[in-house]
């Protein structure tokens, strides 16, 4: 996996790549394999839905995936293929409708690790200030941990290491699973999340191992080698491997007459 060699301190990893359809898809795929993410600059911005269809077709992503959390009667309002992320004081979604920052997570709170392979964030309108998406190369940090402290790494592979629970008001749903695993191709995949949805099972693995693992990952997440901030401009799309990177968001401020507006689309397929 080329992503294991990337260094997020290299400014070129976040340079936008022009997208004009299938002819330029190869450049996006190359960056995705190298870094786990790529910023696509749409050459001819049009209706956002049409841009997402074109991008999905060029990368072979197939149809959007609806996360398990949003397949319940209580959450049907969030079950659209294209999720609009913009501040809304009348909505209670803890991620979509607030200007607050978001801690590390992967998309798919209830889904089995590795189910959602690709996330696309398309910027319709940027914030007045802030709102950068943060990316953490968590699978590579885990590989380093496994070399330095195998017992701590093994604790993260435990099938009952982490329970994630919905924080949407009145929605009592949760899922337990490993923090990292290995896919059929032998590559590490991640479910690393460190936010208020988490309940850690510190009995997983040898005594003290999971706490050491968390300490290591929290330090690694602040290391510029593993962390990258990406500020999208209107007409740009951030495409990243949700099964290989964890992500978050810095808080932001809207202008009085124009709210920050991103569209999120999830896919069960990896780009091809």
């Amino acid at each position: 996996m080329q992503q294991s060699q990337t260094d997020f301190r290299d400014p070129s990893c976040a340079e936008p790549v022009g997208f004009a359809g299938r002819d330029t898809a190869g450049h996006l795929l190359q960056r995705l394999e190298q870094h786990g993410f790529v910023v696509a600059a749409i050459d001819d911005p049009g209706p956002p839905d049409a841009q997402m269809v074109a991008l999905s077709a060029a990368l072979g992503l197939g149809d959007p995936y609806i996360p398990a959390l949003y397949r319940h009667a209580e959450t049907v309002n969030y079950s659209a293929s294209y999720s609009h992320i913009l501040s809304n004081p009348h909505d209670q979604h803890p991620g979509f409708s607030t200007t607050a920052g978001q801690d590390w997570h992967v998309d798919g709170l209830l889904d089995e690790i590795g189910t959602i392979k690709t996330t696309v964030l398309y910027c319709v309108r940027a914030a007045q200030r802030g709102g950068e998406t943060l990316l953490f190369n968590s699978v590579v940090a885990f590989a380093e941990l496994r070399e330095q402290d195998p017992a701590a790494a093994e604790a993260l592979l435990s099938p009952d290491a982490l329970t994630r629970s919905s924080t949407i008001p009145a929605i009592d749903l949760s899922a337990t699973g490993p923090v990292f695993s290995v896919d059929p191709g032998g590559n590490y995949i991640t479910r690393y999340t460190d936010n208020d949805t988490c309940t850690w099972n510190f009995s997983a693995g040898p005594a003290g191992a999971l706490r050491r693992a968390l300490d290591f990952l929290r330090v690694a997440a602040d290391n510029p080698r593993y962390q990258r901030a990406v500020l999208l401009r209107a007409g740009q799309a951030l495409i990243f491997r949700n099964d290989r990177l964890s992500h978050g968001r810095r808080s932001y401020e809207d202008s009085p007459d124009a709210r920050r507006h991103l569209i999120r689309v999830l896919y069960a397929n990896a780009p091809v």
Side-chain angles (χ1 to χ4, degrees), residues 46-258:
D49 288 8
Q51 297 297 351
M52 292 301 94
V53 170
L55 197 59
S56 172
L59 297 177
L61 292 171
D63 294 329
Y65 177 86
I66 307 303
L69 177 60
Y70 304 138
R71 293 189 228 133
H72 296 264
E74 304 94 325
T75 56
V76 68
N77 290 340
Y78 305 116
S79 63
S81 296
Y82 298 158
S83 299
H84 292 264
I85 302 174
L86 67 172
S87 60
N88 180 358
H90 304 293
D91 184 63
Q92 294 183 302
H93 194 287
F96 293 170
S97 59
T98 174
T99 63
Q102 292 184 17
D103 294 326
W104 298 118
H105 63 283
V106 299
D107 293 324
L109 182 144
L110 298 182
D111 297 278
E112 186 176 346
I113 186 170
T115 298
I116 301 174
K117 295 180 174 59
T118 307
T119 295
V120 178
L121 293 173
Y122 178 79
C123 182
V124 179
R125 184 171 48 251
Q128 178 175 328
R129 185 178 296 105
E132 296 93 338
T133 299
L134 302 174
L135 300 170
F136 172 37
N137 201 350
S138 51
V139 294
V140 178
F142 173 74
E144 182 176 330
L145 173 65
R146 207 167 190 189
E147 291 182 1
Q148 295 184 16
D149 189 342
E154 287 299 316
L156 294 170
L157 295 169
S158 172
D160 58 354
L162 172 62
T163 297
R164 293 189 64 194
S165 302
S166 170
T167 54
I168 299 174
I171 306 299
D172 185 17
L173 296 167
S174 63
T176 299
V179 185
F180 293 89
S181 187
V182 181
D183 69 13
N187 298 307
Y188 292 132
I189 53 176
T190 187
R191 186 174 168 257
Y192 176 66
T193 300
D194 194 12
N195 63 14
D196 57 356
T197 70
C198 294
T199 301
W200 296 95
N201 176 15
F202 290 107
S203 67
L210 185 56
R211 292 188 186 276
R212 295 199 309 274
L214 281 178
D215 288 343
F216 179 93
L217 290 173
R218 286 166 177 167
V219 171
D222 285 331
N223 185 336
R225 176 186 170 195
Y226 299 122
Q227 185 201 113
R228 186 78 197 182
V230 177
L231 181 62
L232 292 176
R233 303 298 181 186
Q236 293 181 343
L238 173 62
I239 309 158
F240 62 88
R241 289 294 299 267
N242 182 66
D243 58 343
R244 296 183 179 178
L245 297 176
S246 301
H247 65 283
R249 184 185 72 203
R250 289 179 179 156
S251 62
Y252 64 91
E253 297 178 17
D254 282 328
S255 62
D257 56 348

